[in-house]
Amino acid sequence: MALKAVVILGSVREGGQGTKAAKFIESALKARKWNVTLVNPLEYKIPLLERRYKDYEKGKAPKVLEKLAKILRDADAFVIVTAEYNHLIPPALINLLDHFFEEYFFRPSAIVSYSMGGFGGVRAASHLRDMLAELGMPAIPSGFPISKIQDVFDEQGNPKDEKMNKRVKKFLDELEWYSKALKEARKKGVPY
Protein backbone atom coordinates (compact mmCIF):
# COMPACT_ATOMS: atom_id res chain seq x y z
CA MET A 1 0.00 0.00 0.00
CA ALA A 2 1.31 3.46 -0.93
CA LEU A 3 2.40 5.86 1.77
CA LYS A 4 0.36 9.04 2.17
CA ALA A 5 1.96 12.45 2.55
CA VAL A 6 0.46 15.83 3.25
CA VAL A 7 2.56 18.67 1.87
CA ILE A 8 1.71 21.84 3.78
CA LEU A 9 2.55 25.14 2.11
CA GLY A 10 3.28 27.80 4.69
CA SER A 11 3.25 31.12 2.89
CA VAL A 12 0.22 32.93 1.50
CA ARG A 13 2.06 35.96 0.12
CA GLU A 14 0.97 37.04 -3.32
CA GLY A 15 3.56 35.91 -5.85
CA GLY A 16 5.28 33.76 -3.23
CA GLN A 17 7.96 31.31 -4.31
CA GLY A 18 6.97 28.48 -1.98
CA THR A 19 4.42 27.08 -4.41
CA LYS A 20 7.30 26.10 -6.69
CA ALA A 21 9.04 24.19 -3.90
CA ALA A 22 5.78 22.52 -2.87
CA LYS A 23 5.10 21.41 -6.46
CA PHE A 24 8.65 20.04 -6.71
CA ILE A 25 8.27 18.00 -3.52
CA GLU A 26 4.79 16.84 -4.52
CA SER A 27 6.13 15.64 -7.88
CA ALA A 28 9.14 13.91 -6.29
CA LEU A 29 6.89 12.06 -3.82
CA LYS A 30 4.46 11.02 -6.55
CA ALA A 31 7.39 9.66 -8.59
CA ARG A 32 8.06 7.41 -5.58
CA LYS A 33 4.42 6.22 -5.73
CA TRP A 34 3.26 8.16 -2.65
CA ASN A 35 -0.31 9.49 -2.44
CA VAL A 36 0.11 13.22 -1.92
CA THR A 37 -2.28 15.92 -0.78
CA LEU A 38 -1.11 19.52 -1.06
CA VAL A 39 -2.59 21.81 1.58
CA ASN A 40 -2.41 25.50 0.72
CA PRO A 41 -3.87 27.76 3.44
CA LEU A 42 -5.11 30.17 0.76
CA GLU A 43 -7.28 27.50 -0.83
CA TYR A 44 -8.70 26.25 2.47
CA LYS A 45 -9.48 29.71 3.90
CA ILE A 46 -8.61 28.57 7.42
CA PRO A 47 -10.00 30.97 10.02
CA LEU A 48 -7.74 32.67 12.53
CA LEU A 49 -7.32 30.44 15.53
CA GLU A 50 -10.02 31.09 18.09
CA ARG A 51 -10.63 27.46 19.01
CA ARG A 52 -8.67 24.32 18.14
CA TYR A 53 -10.38 21.58 16.18
CA LYS A 54 -10.44 19.32 19.24
CA ASP A 55 -12.22 22.01 21.28
CA TYR A 56 -15.38 21.79 19.18
CA GLU A 57 -18.14 19.34 20.02
CA LYS A 58 -18.03 16.34 17.70
CA GLY A 59 -19.51 17.36 14.35
CA LYS A 60 -19.67 21.09 15.26
CA ALA A 61 -16.32 22.27 13.87
CA PRO A 62 -16.29 24.41 10.72
CA LYS A 63 -16.40 22.23 7.59
CA VAL A 64 -12.92 23.28 6.51
CA LEU A 65 -11.47 22.03 9.81
CA GLU A 66 -13.39 18.74 9.52
CA LYS A 67 -11.99 18.26 6.01
CA LEU A 68 -8.43 19.07 7.07
CA ALA A 69 -8.64 16.86 10.17
CA LYS A 70 -9.49 13.87 7.97
CA ILE A 71 -6.65 14.65 5.57
CA LEU A 72 -4.19 14.92 8.46
CA ARG A 73 -5.40 11.75 10.23
CA ASP A 74 -4.99 9.75 7.02
CA ALA A 75 -1.37 10.86 6.52
CA ASP A 76 1.72 8.76 7.12
CA ALA A 77 3.99 11.81 6.97
CA PHE A 78 3.99 15.57 6.64
CA VAL A 79 6.26 17.78 4.55
CA ILE A 80 6.19 21.37 5.70
CA VAL A 81 7.28 23.96 3.13
CA THR A 82 8.20 27.18 4.90
CA ALA A 83 9.45 30.59 3.98
CA GLU A 84 11.48 32.65 6.41
CA TYR A 85 9.85 35.87 7.60
CA ASN A 86 12.01 37.83 10.02
CA HIS A 87 13.88 34.63 11.00
CA LEU A 88 10.57 32.85 11.76
CA ILE A 89 7.94 30.81 9.96
CA PRO A 90 5.01 32.60 8.32
CA PRO A 91 1.92 33.43 10.43
CA ALA A 92 -0.36 31.46 8.08
CA LEU A 93 1.66 28.31 8.76
CA ILE A 94 1.52 28.78 12.52
CA ASN A 95 -2.23 29.36 12.29
CA LEU A 96 -2.80 26.20 10.25
CA LEU A 97 -0.59 23.98 12.40
CA ASP A 98 -2.03 25.24 15.69
CA HIS A 99 -5.61 24.30 14.74
CA PHE A 100 -4.79 20.59 15.15
CA PHE A 101 -2.96 18.35 17.58
CA GLU A 102 -3.77 14.64 17.89
CA GLU A 103 -4.10 14.42 14.11
CA TYR A 104 -0.31 14.72 13.86
CA PHE A 105 0.71 12.24 16.56
CA PHE A 106 3.41 9.68 15.88
CA ARG A 107 3.93 10.63 12.26
CA PRO A 108 7.21 12.08 10.97
CA SER A 109 7.55 15.46 9.38
CA ALA A 110 10.16 16.85 7.03
CA ILE A 111 11.09 20.50 6.64
CA VAL A 112 11.61 22.21 3.29
CA SER A 113 12.72 25.78 3.94
CA TYR A 114 13.51 28.47 1.45
CA SER A 115 14.51 32.07 1.04
CA MET A 116 15.39 34.47 -1.73
CA GLY A 117 18.78 34.96 -0.08
CA GLY A 118 21.64 32.63 0.63
CA PHE A 119 20.51 31.01 3.89
CA GLY A 120 17.63 28.95 2.50
CA GLY A 121 15.31 29.64 5.41
CA VAL A 122 17.37 27.64 7.92
CA ARG A 123 16.65 30.05 10.78
CA ALA A 124 12.92 29.54 10.34
CA ALA A 125 13.44 25.78 9.99
CA SER A 126 15.20 25.72 13.35
CA HIS A 127 12.16 27.24 15.08
CA LEU A 128 9.78 25.05 13.10
CA ARG A 129 11.62 21.90 14.21
CA ASP A 130 10.77 22.68 17.86
CA MET A 131 7.13 23.37 17.04
CA LEU A 132 6.69 20.15 15.05
CA ALA A 133 8.13 18.07 17.89
CA GLU A 134 5.73 19.71 20.33
CA LEU A 135 2.82 18.93 18.01
CA GLY A 136 3.77 15.24 17.97
CA MET A 137 5.23 15.04 14.47
CA PRO A 138 8.98 15.33 15.00
CA ALA A 139 11.06 16.32 11.98
CA ILE A 140 13.47 13.88 10.39
CA PRO A 141 17.15 14.76 10.98
CA SER A 142 17.76 16.08 7.45
CA GLY A 143 16.34 19.35 6.26
CA PHE A 144 15.94 20.59 2.71
CA PRO A 145 16.93 24.27 2.56
CA ILE A 146 16.60 26.05 -0.77
CA SER A 147 18.62 29.23 -1.25
CA LYS A 148 17.75 31.82 -3.89
CA ILE A 149 14.53 29.99 -4.65
CA GLN A 150 13.60 32.46 -7.38
CA ASP A 151 16.45 31.00 -9.47
CA VAL A 152 15.96 27.29 -8.71
CA PHE A 153 12.59 26.27 -10.23
CA ASP A 154 10.38 27.17 -13.14
CA GLU A 155 6.75 28.12 -12.46
CA GLN A 156 5.64 24.44 -12.45
CA GLY A 157 8.23 23.51 -9.82
CA ASN A 158 10.63 21.82 -12.23
CA PRO A 159 14.24 22.26 -11.12
CA LYS A 160 16.52 24.23 -13.39
CA ASP A 161 19.53 22.17 -12.21
CA GLU A 162 19.58 18.37 -12.11
CA LYS A 163 21.49 18.51 -8.80
CA MET A 164 18.20 19.36 -7.08
CA ASN A 165 16.83 15.91 -7.99
CA LYS A 166 19.90 14.25 -6.47
CA ARG A 167 19.58 16.31 -3.28
CA VAL A 168 15.91 15.49 -2.81
CA LYS A 169 16.52 11.73 -3.15
CA LYS A 170 18.45 11.46 0.14
CA PHE A 171 15.92 13.69 1.89
CA LEU A 172 12.96 11.62 0.73
CA ASP A 173 14.78 8.32 1.37
CA GLU A 174 15.04 9.39 4.99
CA LEU A 175 11.42 10.53 5.20
CA GLU A 176 10.28 7.24 3.67
CA TRP A 177 12.29 5.21 6.18
CA TYR A 178 10.82 7.06 9.16
CA SER A 179 7.32 6.93 7.66
CA LYS A 180 7.42 3.16 7.20
CA ALA A 181 8.94 2.58 10.65
CA LEU A 182 6.40 4.73 12.46
CA LYS A 183 3.49 3.33 10.46
CA GLU A 184 4.42 -0.18 11.60
CA ALA A 185 4.90 1.00 15.18
CA ARG A 186 1.46 2.71 15.22
CA LYS A 187 -0.14 -0.61 14.29
CA LYS A 188 1.16 -2.05 17.56
CA GLY A 189 -0.17 0.87 19.59
CA VAL A 190 1.03 4.24 20.79
CA PRO A 191 2.19 5.36 24.25
CA TYR A 192 -1.11 7.15 24.97
Side-chain angles (χ1 to χ4, degrees), residues 44-91:
Y44 282 85
K45 303 291 186 207
I46 300 160
L48 287 176
L49 180 64
E50 292 180 21
R51 193 185 316 176
R52 296 172 299 176
Y53 172 71
K54 72 179 201 166
D55 296 329
Y56 287 94
E57 281 183 49
K58 191 169 181 87
K60 301 283 184 176
K63 287 184 182 182
V64 67
L65 296 184
E66 292 286 358
K67 182 177 180 179
L68 279 169
K70 180 176 180 351
I71 290 169
L72 299 175
R73 276 192 303 269
D74 288 345
D76 295 308
F78 303 98
V79 180
I80 316 299
V81 179
T82 186
E84 181 173 301
Y85 295 176
N86 303 316
H87 295 207
L88 296 171
I89 64 175

Side-chain angles (χ1 to χ4, degrees), residues 113-124:
S113 61
Y114 64 92
S115 68
M116 294 182 78
F119 291 108
V122 295
R123 296 170 294 207

Side-chain angles (χ1 to χ4, degrees), residues 27-47:
S27 177
L29 285 166
K30 284 182 176 180
R32 296 169 81 102
K33 307 296 185 218
W34 283 57
N35 290 325
V36 183
T37 302
L38 178 60
V39 173
N40 181 339
L42 271 180
E43 292 175 13
Y44 282 85
K45 303 291 186 207
I46 300 160

Side-chain angles (χ1 to χ4, degrees), residues 20 23 26 36 50 58 69-70 73 77 81 99 104-105 107 111 121-122 130 151 161 176 185 190-191:
K20 297 174 185 177
K23 286 178 181 179
E26 179 182 25
V36 183
E50 292 180 21
K58 191 169 181 87
K70 180 176 180 351
R73 276 192 303 269
V81 179
H99 270 88
Y104 304 126
F105 283 4
R107 292 162 177 84
I111 300 171
V122 295
D130 291 340
D151 301 329
D161 186 336
E176 192 163 304
V190 295

